[in-house]
């Protein structure tokens, strides 16, 4: 089985976690809850600017991630009522997220990473990881081969919501001012 990686980027409250869980559980049509169609691109066509995208998530893609593990930097800080964000530990959270992703892909299991990724340098380590796996795939012909790793990116941005709506929707209590700053520095 090929290693499959899906990156979902978007502002807090845009639906990253919801979409990741929906695709992983294969329990709903992801188009059914989004305010607008997300930007979608296969990594082979991924260019930071302009963002070359198709308006729909292909059904084959959603089926490719059924039972995939969902991973986020926020996992480092806990879940639900146990969530305790510590800004000074954000670099460690992202490092753990990338390492978990790498381990998952090395074991040839699919994963969905849903982080804000507001700037291109934040997504670059995942693109580098993809390139590393692709290189390993090309150099190995034994059973340990990664057999054509695949990577896709879904860009939700704000999913059609205002900063105030994103503030109300986000599950981690990201302040309105922080959401506004993230929007200002967003890179396509």
């Amino acid at each position: 089985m090929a290693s499959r990686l899906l990156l979902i980027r978007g502002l807090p409250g845009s639906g990253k976690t919801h979409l990741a869980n929906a695709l992983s559980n294969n329990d709903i049509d992801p188009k059914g809850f989004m305010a607008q169609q997300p930007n979608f691109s296969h990594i082979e066509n991924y260019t930071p600017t302009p963002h070359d995208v198709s308006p729909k998530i292909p059904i084959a893609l959603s089926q490719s991630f059924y039972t995939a593990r969902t991973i986020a930097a926020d996992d480092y800080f806990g879940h639900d009522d146990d969530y305790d964000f510590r800004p000074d530990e954000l670099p460690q959270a992202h490092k753990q997220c990338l390492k978990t992703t790498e381990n998952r892909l090395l074991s040839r299991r699919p994963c969905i990473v849903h982080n804000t990724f507001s700037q291109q340098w934040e997504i670059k380590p995942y693109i580098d990881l993809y390139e590393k796996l692709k290189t390993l795939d090309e150099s190995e012909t034994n059973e340990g081969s990664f057999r054509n790793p695949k990577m896709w990116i879904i860009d939700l941005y704000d999913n059609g919501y205002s900063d105030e709506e994103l503030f109300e929707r986000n599950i981690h209590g990201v302040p309105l001012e922080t959401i506004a700053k993230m929007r200002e520095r967003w890179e396509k």
Side-chain angles (χ1 to χ4, degrees), residues 44-115:
E44 297 299 340
N45 301 324
Y46 184 67
T47 52
T49 17
H51 199 55
D52 182 19
V53 297
S54 163
K56 295 181 181 177
I57 300 171
I59 290 175
L61 175 64
S62 64
Q63 293 170 346
S64 294
F65 287 95
Y66 176 58
T67 72
R69 176 163 178 201
T70 62
I71 304 167
D74 279 323
D75 297 344
Y76 179 90
F77 302 107
H79 295 280
D80 302 325
D81 294 335
D82 295 328
Y83 187 79
D84 181 25
F85 181 71
R86 297 171 303 281
D88 55 315
E89 295 180 29
L90 200 51
Q92 295 95 308
H94 281 284
K95 186 175 182 179
Q96 176 181 299
C97 183
L98 183 62
K99 187 63 176 169
T100 302
T101 301
E102 180 176 25
N103 290 340
R104 179 82 179 181
L105 294 174
L106 286 171
S107 64
R108 294 189 299 258
R109 294 179 292 170
C111 60
I112 302 171
V113 180
H114 51 106
N115 284 332

Side-chain angles (χ1 to χ4, degrees), residues 146-157:
F146 296 102
R147 301 190 193 132
N148 302 314
K150 306 272 188 246
M151 179 175 174
W152 296 267
I153 299 171
I154 294 177
D155 185 346
L156 295 177
Y157 181 48

Side-chain angles (χ1 to χ4, degrees), residues 1-6 43-44 98-111 125-141 144-151:
M1 175 186 294
S3 298
R4 295 186 309 275
L5 173 61
L6 175 62
I43 190 63
E44 297 299 340
L98 183 62
K99 187 63 176 169
T100 302
T101 301
E102 180 176 25
N103 290 340
R104 179 82 179 181
L105 294 174
L106 286 171
S107 64
R108 294 189 299 258
R109 294 179 292 170
C111 60
Y126 294 88
I127 293 172
D128 292 345
L129 174 62
Y130 166 78
E131 293 297 334
K132 173 183 160 185
L133 291 177
K134 194 168 137 183
T135 301
L136 286 172
D137 183 54
E138 291 166 357
S139 67
E140 295 183 20
T141 56
S145 172
F146 296 102
R147 301 190 193 132
N148 302 314
K150 306 272 188 246
M151 179 175 174

